[in-house]
């Protein structure tokens, strides 16, 4: 557990089936859940929590098998949205706004489709599993600018989180992500949605974000310049401003 800026986290654990879920809460206000991406943890939101916690009560879980969460059964991407809903029950969250990055975006979107009453507002950040097609990948010459935005400061927490997750969890998750597609569920999402994309994402190109914005009801796309696959880390000030403006419009 670590402090983020001026906010001191409260560390908690919840038992969800065979998993012990580690999560943190920050601040006060309307509930906001942040879901990390593949091989991630709560640390991936380290540059965002202080700003968000000034307006919201922020909940950051480590997904089962990642970070400080542990599970006696292997990670299953197909069960992840239901698992998050059960964790919300344990955390006392009937309804919350959801922000998901990459794999976490897929999980947040699936939860919003399967249990729309539980998601107030939805933010998908360079989201995975939503109709990626190899034809969307731009030529190498167009990807070269992305090298300037490789987040070198992000590498130590990334490697540490990969080690904590372990090879078995990473292999299962990566294989599932390669084929997972919830486009058929997008029409069931009722929550207002913001799609945030790093302009130079070399992993899930901006073309995917544009296609998602066209297919997802009640959605708009915001592109962050000088950012790659992790805009919340690459350009935290711009990212935090976008989120706060979008989330502040939730009715009381």
């Amino acid at each position: 557990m670590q402090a983020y800026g001026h906010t001191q986290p409260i560390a908690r654990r919840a038992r969800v089936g065979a998993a012990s879920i580690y999560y943190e809460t920050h601040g006060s206000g309307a509930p906001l859940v942040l879901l990390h991406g593949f091989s991630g943890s709560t640390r991936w939101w380290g540059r965002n929590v202080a700003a968000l916690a000034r307006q919201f009560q922020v909940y950051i879980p480590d997904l089962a098998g990642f970070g400080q969460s542990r599970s006696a059964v292997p990670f299953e991407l197909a069960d992840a949205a239901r698992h998050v809903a059960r964790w919300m029950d344990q955390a006392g969250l009937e309804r919350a706004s959801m922000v998901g990055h990459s794999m976490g975006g897929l999980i947040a979107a699936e939860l919003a489709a399967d249990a729309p009453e539980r998601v107030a507002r939805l933010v998908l950040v360079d989201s995975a599993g939503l109709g990626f097609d190899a034809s969307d990948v731009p030529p190498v010459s167009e990807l070269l600018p992305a090298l300037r935005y490789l987040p070198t400061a992000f590498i130590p927490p990334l490697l540490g989180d990969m080690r904590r997750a372990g090879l078995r969890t990473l292999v299962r998750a990566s294989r599932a992500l390669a084929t997972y597609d919830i486009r058929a569920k997008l029409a069931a999402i009722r929550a207002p949605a913001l799609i945030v994309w790093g302009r130079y994402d070399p992993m899930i190109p901006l073309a995917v974000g544009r296609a998602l914005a066209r297919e997802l009801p009640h959605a708009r796309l915001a592109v962050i310049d000088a950012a790659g696959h992790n805009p919340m880390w690459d350009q935290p000030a711009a990212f935090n401003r976008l989120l706060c403006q979008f989330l502040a419009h939730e009715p009381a």
Side-chain angles (χ1 to χ4, degrees), residues 32 34 44-56 99 194 196 224 231-233 235-248:
L32 172 64
L34 309 180
W44 288 29
W45 305 104
R47 296 184 173 184
N48 317 113
V49 172
L52 297 173
R54 295 189 190 106
Q55 299 183 41
F56 308 99
V99 179
L194 174 66
V196 180
I224 297 183
M232 72 284 191
W233 188 278
Q235 297 293 331
F239 181 88
N240 297 340
R241 183 169 58 251
L242 275 171
L243 257 64
C244 288
Q245 289 172 351
F246 173 73
L247 295 169

Side-chain angles (χ1 to χ4, degrees), residues 149 197-201 224-231 234-235:
Y149 307 113
W197 228 265
R199 185 174 296 279
Y200 298 106
D201 186 342
I224 297 183
D225 290 323
H229 185 61
N230 307 293
D234 300 345
Q235 297 293 331

